[in-house]
Amino acid sequence: MKKVASLKYGVVFKKAFCDPEIFTAFAQDILGLPVHVELVETEKEFDPPVGYIKPRFDLFAEDTQHRIIIDIQHARTGDHYDRFLYYHCAALLEQIASSHNYRPPLAVYTVVVLTSGDRHQCDIAVTDFDPHDLAGRPLKEIPHKVIYLCPKYADDNTPEPCRAWLRAINDTLDEEVDESLYQQSAIQKLFAAIQRSQFSPEDRARMIEEHHQEELNQSKFEEGMKKATQRIAERMLRQGIAPELIAEATGLSADELAELVGR
């Protein structure tokens, strides 16, 4: 067993996947396309920004040989579907220089890795920009895609080689991996890159900061959900719905409902 740093931390994820060999192998296996990149940028921004918001891309690479842009986003946010759709569109719009040609010269693929999971509990989901006819047949006009990966939901039905990458990422989350379970050289290199000994005290401090920020965000989320549930229960009480039915629907206890009545 190898002791590693968890890929749930952005500083660890970027350190691993900014390696062109690891990035290329991962992108190739996830996209199912030939990929060749020599430089991976971290924290990339467009200057001037596209639109009113200035996106910052976790990992960004251009494959001019195959005419594609690959953006890998490490995400643990509540709005990841909307957020990274915006990032994806920014990478498309940044390429358009004239109204004489609206076709971006490079296809854009955004890969979002959701190490904390997602409410849909889906291992791989795809936003496909290509038009389809009413029978579902693609017109093969627009190649751009956003791909959402949730490593914790990978199972035997997840297609290879995606499954190996998702399981490898998920295995790092408890900071220990069994290397013998993975045959790909790029995954072995990934594990070597995130060995605990590879990280400086500054890196570890950033991991601690990320951990505390995640706890704060989770606390705010839970508080918001609690308040929303209470508002729903209050409306139901005003409508004369029986408290036992409200308790069953909202999960609130009898004491919590009684407190709402007394407000």
Side-chain angles (χ1 to χ4, degrees):
M1 301 293 281
K2 175 172 284 189
K3 303 296 184 181
V4 297
S6 173
L7 284 168
K8 72 179 181 180
Y9 298 116
V11 62
V12 180
F13 195 93
K14 292 168 197 171
K15 181 180 178 67
F17 285 93
C18 72
D19 180 291
E21 182 181 341
I22 296 172
F23 185 103
T24 296
F26 177 72
Q28 252 181 184
D29 288 344
I30 298 302
L31 300 177
L33 298 171
V35 174
H36 175 75
V37 298
E38 297 180 353
L39 174 66
V40 180
E41 300 178 72
T42 60
E43 303 294 330
K44 179 181 175 63
E45 296 178 337
F46 295 132
D47 190 18
V50 178
Y52 295 105
I53 301 171
K54 193 172 189 177
R56 179 178 295 163
F57 298 87
D58 289 345
L59 297 146
F60 187 94
E62 292 188 16
D63 177 351
T64 54
Q65 178 181 339
H66 297 103
R67 302 189 65 76
I68 61 175
I69 289 174
I70 304 150
D71 161 35
I72 298 178
Q73 292 290 344
H74 168 260
R76 288 183 293 145
T77 67
D79 62 349
H80 40 261
Y81 291 108
D82 294 305
R83 178 186 296 258
F84 296 113
L85 177 61
Y86 182 92
Y87 280 39
H88 182 85
C89 291
L92 288 170
L93 295 174
E94 194 272 338
Q95 299 181 64
I96 307 301
S98 168
S99 61
H100 296 296
N101 185 3
Y102 286 96
R103 181 180 290 272
L106 301 176
V108 177
Y109 297 90
T110 298
V111 180
V112 181
V113 183
L114 305 166
T115 53
S116 293
D118 177 71
R119 64 183 180 277
H120 299 292
Q121 300 186 10
C122 178
D123 55 349
I124 303 174
V126 181
T127 299
D128 189 341
F129 282 65
D130 193 33
H132 295 69
D133 66 16
L134 294 180
R137 291 184 291 265
L139 302 187
K140 298 183 178 179
E141 284 288 335
I142 299 177
H144 320 299
K145 291 182 174 66
V146 184
I147 301 170
Y148 299 90
L149 306 175
C150 290
K152 70 185 298 182
Y153 306 125
D155 58 25
D156 291 343
N157 294 318
T158 304
E160 290 287 12
C162 298
R163 180 171 60 197
W165 282 101
L166 267 60
R167 287 186 164 167
I169 292 170
N170 194 59
D171 279 354
T172 72
L173 301 187
D174 64 359
E175 302 189 337
E176 191 174 71
V177 296
D178 183 351
E179 297 174 279
S180 66
L181 299 176
Y182 303 93
Q183 306 305 314
Q184 297 94 321
S185 60
I187 292 180
Q188 294 291 331
K189 187 173 184 181
L190 168 73
F191 292 153
I194 61 173
Q195 289 184 90
R196 290 185 189 173
S197 58
Q198 301 288 335
F199 292 87
S200 67
E202 291 78 14
D203 290 333
R204 295 190 185 98
R206 290 177 63 187
M207 291 181 214
I208 293 171
E209 288 177 5
E210 284 191 48
H211 177 72
H212 289 328
Q213 185 62 49
E214 181 181 19
E215 287 185 330
L216 178 61
N217 291 341
Q218 182 64 26
S219 176
K220 289 181 178 177
F221 173 78
E222 291 174 355
E223 182 63 26
M225 289 296 295
K226 181 179 179 180
K227 289 181 178 179
T229 301
Q230 288 174 339
R231 287 195 294 269
I232 292 170
E234 285 177 328
R235 286 198 293 270
M236 295 173 76
L237 287 167
R238 287 196 295 268
Q239 293 169 2
I241 298 174
E244 58 271 20
L245 295 179
I246 299 175
E248 182 178 350
T250 63
L252 295 177
S253 67
D255 290 341
E256 289 173 315
L257 290 175
E259 183 179 339
L260 292 177
V261 172
R263 285 185 180 181

